[in-house]
Amino acid sequence: FNFTGINLFHPEKVRYKAYLEGFDNDWIENDIKTATYTNLPPGRYTFNVMAYTSDISKASTAKFSFIIKRAFWKTWWFIMLILILLIAIGYLFLKYRTRRVLLSNEKLESLIELRTREITKQKQEIETLYKEVHHRVKNNLQVINSIINLQSSYMDDPKTLAVLKECQNRVYTMAVLHEKLYSAKS
């Protein structure tokens, strides 16, 4: 605060007292025309200044009232605004993460579906090959049996006929075993 007391006859004898209501405990005597207050907390204040020469009872007094408001970042509305912004940012982040997870899940599901189709196709190909192998083995065993049967029609020797009949029985046994194995795996 800057202030001046006027005495036309003896300006060099003017003395000052200052008092800030709400901050100072008592009047502060001063020879200079300024009073400085820094870092005042928020609140209502009244600055009083008194100018006098020799007799303090004839002093003139001036008052100045003022309010120091709280810093805007310390107000309740600013704190609420920050809380709302933090909640909104958290919510948006959560929505963003949820969206990314859903997109990732959809991508994984499409990959799983693609791989499932590929595996199903491979399985069908394997089953087709398995049926083809079974059919060929069955045909080959029948061909062998037929050849043995044709060969035995040209033979008159009972020992040779017995050996060919034994071979036919073994081929027949292999055919039955092969059929049972094929039926069990299907």
Side-chain angles (χ1 to χ4, degrees):
F1 294 96
N2 293 321
F3 42 86
T4 302
I6 301 172
N7 185 332
L8 298 176
F9 298 109
H10 303 288
E12 70 279 350
K13 289 185 176 182
V14 176
R15 307 232 347 121
Y16 303 99
K17 278 188 174 186
Y19 173 64
L20 184 61
E21 289 179 24
F23 188 74
D24 289 332
N25 294 329
D26 200 7
W27 289 88
I28 299 171
E29 197 161 329
N30 199 350
D31 288 338
I32 57 174
K33 299 175 184 180
T34 62
T36 304
Y37 293 94
T38 57
N39 296 325
L40 290 174
R44 292 181 177 271
Y45 298 96
T46 301
F47 179 71
N48 298 294
V49 67
M50 185 185 304
Y52 61 96
T53 51
S54 58
D55 187 9
I56 199 162
S57 62
K58 292 181 182 177
S60 60
T61 305
K63 291 184 177 190
F64 176 72
S65 295
F66 60 96
I67 298 173
I68 294 181
K69 293 185 177 180
R70 187 176 298 209
F72 76 92
W73 61 85
K74 292 182 179 178
T75 59
W76 68 269
W77 60 267
F78 185 78
I79 293 170
M80 290 301 291
L81 179 67
I82 294 299
L83 284 174
I84 289 170
L85 283 174
L86 287 175
I87 290 169
I89 288 170
Y91 175 75
L92 291 175
F93 180 73
L94 185 64
K95 290 286 277 181
Y96 170 74
R97 291 286 297 154
T98 303
R99 177 101 170 111
R100 283 192 58 202
V101 166
L102 288 175
L103 289 174
S104 176
N105 285 349
E106 287 176 7
K107 191 183 289 186
L108 287 173
E109 284 176 5
S110 67
L111 279 172
I112 289 171
E113 185 179 326
L114 178 67
R115 287 296 294 151
T116 302
R117 276 189 259 132
E118 288 175 1
I119 290 171
T120 303
K121 184 179 176 185
Q122 289 174 349
K123 181 184 174 209
Q124 289 172 347
E125 289 173 359
I126 289 171
E127 287 176 355
T128 304
L129 288 173
Y130 185 66
K131 287 178 184 177
E132 181 67 28
V133 167
H134 168 69
H135 182 68
R136 287 185 181 190
V137 167
K138 190 176 172 183
N139 281 348
N140 286 341
L141 289 174
Q142 286 177 348
V143 167
I144 291 170
N145 205 10
S146 297
I147 290 173
I148 292 173
N149 198 18
L150 280 174
Q151 191 64 35
S152 62
S153 65
Y154 293 112
M155 297 290 172
D156 291 331
D157 182 27
K159 277 188 176 181
T160 307
L161 282 174
V163 169
L164 289 176
K165 186 67 173 166
E166 183 63 30
C167 284
Q168 263 186 323
N169 287 339
R170 287 184 182 178
V171 169
Y172 178 74
T173 303
M174 283 192 285
V176 169
L177 283 174
H178 177 73
E179 187 65 36
K180 285 186 177 183
L181 285 174
Y182 177 75
S183 298
K185 288 187 180 182
S186 296

Tab-separated table of all heavy atoms in Angstrom, residues 153-177:
chain	number	residue	atom	x	y	z
A	153	SER	N	-8.169	-124.347	-58.887
A	153	SER	CA	-8.987	-125.093	-59.854
A	153	SER	C	-8.104	-125.840	-60.854
A	153	SER	O	-8.557	-126.788	-61.486
A	153	SER	CB	-9.947	-124.157	-60.580
A	153	SER	OG	-9.229	-123.227	-61.365
A	154	TYR	N	-6.826	-125.434	-61.032
A	154	TYR	CA	-5.907	-126.118	-61.929
A	154	TYR	C	-5.073	-127.174	-61.215
A	154	TYR	O	-4.306	-127.869	-61.852
A	154	TYR	CB	-4.948	-125.111	-62.605
A	154	TYR	CG	-5.653	-124.168	-63.558
A	154	TYR	CD1	-5.759	-122.803	-63.271
A	154	TYR	CD2	-6.208	-124.651	-64.739
A	154	TYR	CE1	-6.391	-121.947	-64.130
A	154	TYR	CE2	-6.853	-123.785	-65.590
A	154	TYR	CZ	-6.939	-122.447	-65.292
A	154	TYR	OH	-7.571	-121.602	-66.151
A	155	MET	N	-5.215	-127.323	-59.948
A	155	MET	CA	-4.390	-128.263	-59.183
A	155	MET	C	-5.182	-129.530	-58.855
A	155	MET	O	-6.360	-129.450	-58.535
A	155	MET	CB	-3.954	-127.616	-57.843
A	155	MET	CG	-3.085	-126.417	-57.992
A	155	MET	SD	-1.490	-126.976	-58.585
A	155	MET	CE	-0.731	-125.437	-58.917
A	156	ASP	N	-4.420	-130.664	-58.906
A	156	ASP	CA	-5.038	-131.936	-58.562
A	156	ASP	C	-4.388	-132.531	-57.309
A	156	ASP	O	-4.981	-133.419	-56.682
A	156	ASP	CB	-4.853	-132.946	-59.725
A	156	ASP	CG	-5.681	-132.535	-60.919
A	156	ASP	OD1	-6.731	-131.887	-60.692
A	156	ASP	OD2	-5.288	-132.838	-62.049
A	157	ASP	N	-3.254	-132.031	-56.948
A	157	ASP	CA	-2.511	-132.565	-55.812
A	157	ASP	C	-3.209	-132.141	-54.522
A	157	ASP	O	-3.435	-130.966	-54.281
A	157	ASP	CB	-1.068	-132.024	-55.869
A	157	ASP	CG	-0.217	-132.576	-54.759
A	157	ASP	OD1	-0.504	-133.678	-54.293
A	157	ASP	OD2	0.738	-131.857	-54.346
A	158	PRO	N	-3.592	-133.130	-53.640
A	158	PRO	CA	-4.304	-132.774	-52.411
A	158	PRO	C	-3.445	-131.922	-51.460
A	158	PRO	O	-3.972	-131.038	-50.765
A	158	PRO	CB	-4.632	-134.095	-51.749
A	158	PRO	CG	-4.251	-135.168	-52.685
A	158	PRO	CD	-3.512	-134.542	-53.822
A	159	LYS	N	-2.119	-132.149	-51.425
A	159	LYS	CA	-1.274	-131.347	-50.536
A	159	LYS	C	-1.240	-129.900	-51.005
A	159	LYS	O	-1.333	-128.963	-50.200
A	159	LYS	CB	0.157	-131.905	-50.530
A	159	LYS	CG	0.344	-133.047	-49.601
A	159	LYS	CD	1.824	-133.371	-49.546
A	159	LYS	CE	2.069	-134.453	-48.530
A	159	LYS	NZ	3.470	-134.787	-48.415
A	160	THR	N	-1.108	-129.681	-52.265
A	160	THR	CA	-1.062	-128.322	-52.811
A	160	THR	C	-2.405	-127.643	-52.606
A	160	THR	O	-2.475	-126.462	-52.273
A	160	THR	CB	-0.704	-128.355	-54.301
A	160	THR	OG1	0.486	-129.113	-54.483
A	160	THR	CG2	-0.489	-126.977	-54.853
A	161	LEU	N	-3.497	-128.430	-52.826
A	161	LEU	CA	-4.840	-127.879	-52.611
A	161	LEU	C	-5.034	-127.481	-51.150
A	161	LEU	O	-5.631	-126.429	-50.850
A	161	LEU	CB	-5.914	-128.888	-53.018
A	161	LEU	CG	-6.174	-129.005	-54.520
A	161	LEU	CD1	-7.153	-130.138	-54.799
A	161	LEU	CD2	-6.738	-127.706	-55.055
A	162	ALA	N	-4.477	-128.283	-50.216
A	162	ALA	CA	-4.593	-127.972	-48.791
A	162	ALA	C	-3.824	-126.687	-48.456
A	162	ALA	O	-4.299	-125.829	-47.682
A	162	ALA	CB	-4.090	-129.121	-47.954
A	163	VAL	N	-2.624	-126.537	-49.058
A	163	VAL	CA	-1.822	-125.315	-48.825
A	163	VAL	C	-2.555	-124.107	-49.383
A	163	VAL	O	-2.620	-123.040	-48.745
A	163	VAL	CB	-0.422	-125.463	-49.462
A	163	VAL	CG1	0.315	-124.142	-49.468
A	163	VAL	CG2	0.380	-126.498	-48.708
A	164	LEU	N	-3.131	-124.236	-50.601
A	164	LEU	CA	-3.873	-123.115	-51.195
A	164	LEU	C	-5.124	-122.790	-50.375
A	164	LEU	O	-5.463	-121.604	-50.199
A	164	LEU	CB	-4.242	-123.428	-52.640
A	164	LEU	CG	-3.085	-123.427	-53.643
A	164	LEU	CD1	-3.581	-123.843	-55.018
A	164	LEU	CD2	-2.437	-122.060	-53.716
A	165	LYS	N	-5.791	-123.827	-49.844
A	165	LYS	CA	-6.974	-123.615	-49.014
A	165	LYS	C	-6.566	-122.896	-47.721
A	165	LYS	O	-7.268	-121.967	-47.270
A	165	LYS	CB	-7.642	-124.968	-48.711
A	165	LYS	CG	-8.943	-124.866	-47.991
A	165	LYS	CD	-9.985	-124.220	-48.886
A	165	LYS	CE	-11.338	-124.273	-48.219
A	165	LYS	NZ	-12.284	-123.415	-48.842
A	166	GLU	N	-5.413	-123.270	-47.141
A	166	GLU	CA	-4.896	-122.603	-45.940
A	166	GLU	C	-4.581	-121.129	-46.240
A	166	GLU	O	-4.875	-120.248	-45.441
A	166	GLU	CB	-3.645	-123.331	-45.436
A	166	GLU	CG	-3.043	-122.781	-44.157
A	166	GLU	CD	-3.976	-122.882	-42.953
A	166	GLU	OE1	-4.813	-123.794	-42.874
A	166	GLU	OE2	-3.859	-122.006	-42.076
A	167	CYS	N	-3.989	-120.873	-47.413
A	167	CYS	CA	-3.705	-119.479	-47.825
A	167	CYS	C	-5.004	-118.699	-47.968
A	167	CYS	O	-5.082	-117.530	-47.549
A	167	CYS	CB	-2.937	-119.467	-49.145
A	167	CYS	SG	-1.222	-119.910	-48.955
A	168	GLN	N	-6.022	-119.322	-48.572
A	168	GLN	CA	-7.317	-118.654	-48.725
A	168	GLN	C	-7.918	-118.324	-47.371
A	168	GLN	O	-8.460	-117.227	-47.177
A	168	GLN	CB	-8.292	-119.551	-49.499
A	168	GLN	CG	-8.371	-119.238	-50.949
A	168	GLN	CD	-9.467	-120.057	-51.638
A	168	GLN	OE1	-9.695	-121.237	-51.297
A	168	GLN	NE2	-10.097	-119.446	-52.608
A	169	ASN	N	-7.832	-119.246	-46.417
A	169	ASN	CA	-8.357	-118.998	-45.066
A	169	ASN	C	-7.615	-117.840	-44.388
A	169	ASN	O	-8.238	-116.996	-43.723
A	169	ASN	CB	-8.258	-120.265	-44.210
A	169	ASN	CG	-9.279	-121.309	-44.629
A	169	ASN	OD1	-10.283	-120.990	-45.264
A	169	ASN	ND2	-9.019	-122.550	-44.276
A	170	ARG	N	-6.313	-117.775	-44.565
A	170	ARG	CA	-5.534	-116.677	-43.956
A	170	ARG	C	-5.895	-115.340	-44.597
A	170	ARG	O	-6.029	-114.329	-43.901
A	170	ARG	CB	-4.035	-116.957	-44.109
A	170	ARG	CG	-3.602	-118.070	-43.163
A	170	ARG	CD	-2.137	-118.294	-43.216
A	170	ARG	NE	-1.775	-119.391	-42.326
A	170	ARG	CZ	-0.576	-119.845	-42.171
A	170	ARG	NH1	0.426	-119.293	-42.848
A	170	ARG	NH2	-0.328	-120.840	-41.349
A	171	VAL	N	-6.046	-115.298	-45.891
A	171	VAL	CA	-6.436	-114.059	-46.573
A	171	VAL	C	-7.826	-113.652	-46.106
A	171	VAL	O	-8.102	-112.470	-45.856
A	171	VAL	CB	-6.378	-114.233	-48.105
A	171	VAL	CG1	-7.035	-113.064	-48.821
A	171	VAL	CG2	-4.955	-114.395	-48.559
A	172	TYR	N	-8.734	-114.625	-45.979
A	172	TYR	CA	-10.082	-114.346	-45.506
A	172	TYR	C	-10.034	-113.777	-44.074
A	172	TYR	O	-10.732	-112.822	-43.750
A	172	TYR	CB	-10.942	-115.625	-45.563
A	172	TYR	CG	-12.342	-115.416	-45.034
A	172	TYR	CD1	-13.282	-114.708	-45.779
A	172	TYR	CD2	-12.720	-115.914	-43.795
A	172	TYR	CE1	-14.551	-114.504	-45.285
A	172	TYR	CE2	-13.986	-115.708	-43.294
A	172	TYR	CZ	-14.915	-115.001	-44.050
A	172	TYR	OH	-16.175	-114.781	-43.562
A	173	THR	N	-9.176	-114.390	-43.204
A	173	THR	CA	-9.021	-113.917	-41.831
A	173	THR	C	-8.501	-112.476	-41.818
A	173	THR	O	-8.980	-111.615	-41.054
A	173	THR	CB	-8.071	-114.834	-41.046
A	173	THR	OG1	-8.566	-116.176	-41.088
A	173	THR	CG2	-7.931	-114.402	-39.609
A	174	MET	N	-7.516	-112.178	-42.673
A	174	MET	CA	-7.000	-110.805	-42.766
A	174	MET	C	-8.098	-109.849	-43.215
A	174	MET	O	-8.205	-108.717	-42.699
A	174	MET	CB	-5.815	-110.742	-43.735
A	174	MET	CG	-4.529	-111.285	-43.143
A	174	MET	SD	-3.093	-110.900	-44.145
A	174	MET	CE	-3.297	-112.038	-45.472
A	175	ALA	N	-8.944	-110.289	-44.168
A	175	ALA	CA	-10.030	-109.437	-44.655
A	175	ALA	C	-11.032	-109.162	-43.535
A	175	ALA	O	-11.510	-108.017	-43.372
A	175	ALA	CB	-10.717	-110.093	-45.848
A	176	VAL	N	-11.360	-110.183	-42.736
A	176	VAL	CA	-12.310	-110.006	-41.622
A	176	VAL	C	-11.711	-109.068	-40.575
A	176	VAL	O	-12.391	-108.148	-40.073
A	176	VAL	CB	-12.680	-111.379	-41.008
A	176	VAL	CG1	-13.436	-111.207	-39.699
A	176	VAL	CG2	-13.510	-112.187	-41.999
A	177	LEU	N	-10.433	-109.271	-40.220
A	177	LEU	CA	-9.770	-108.401	-39.248
A	177	LEU	C	-9.719	-106.953	-39.753
A	177	LEU	O	-9.984	-105.996	-39.011
A	177	LEU	CB	-8.352	-108.891	-38.958
A	177	LEU	CG	-8.233	-110.090	-38.026
A	177	LEU	CD1	-6.792	-110.560	-37.945
A	177	LEU	CD2	-8.738	-109.729	-36.639
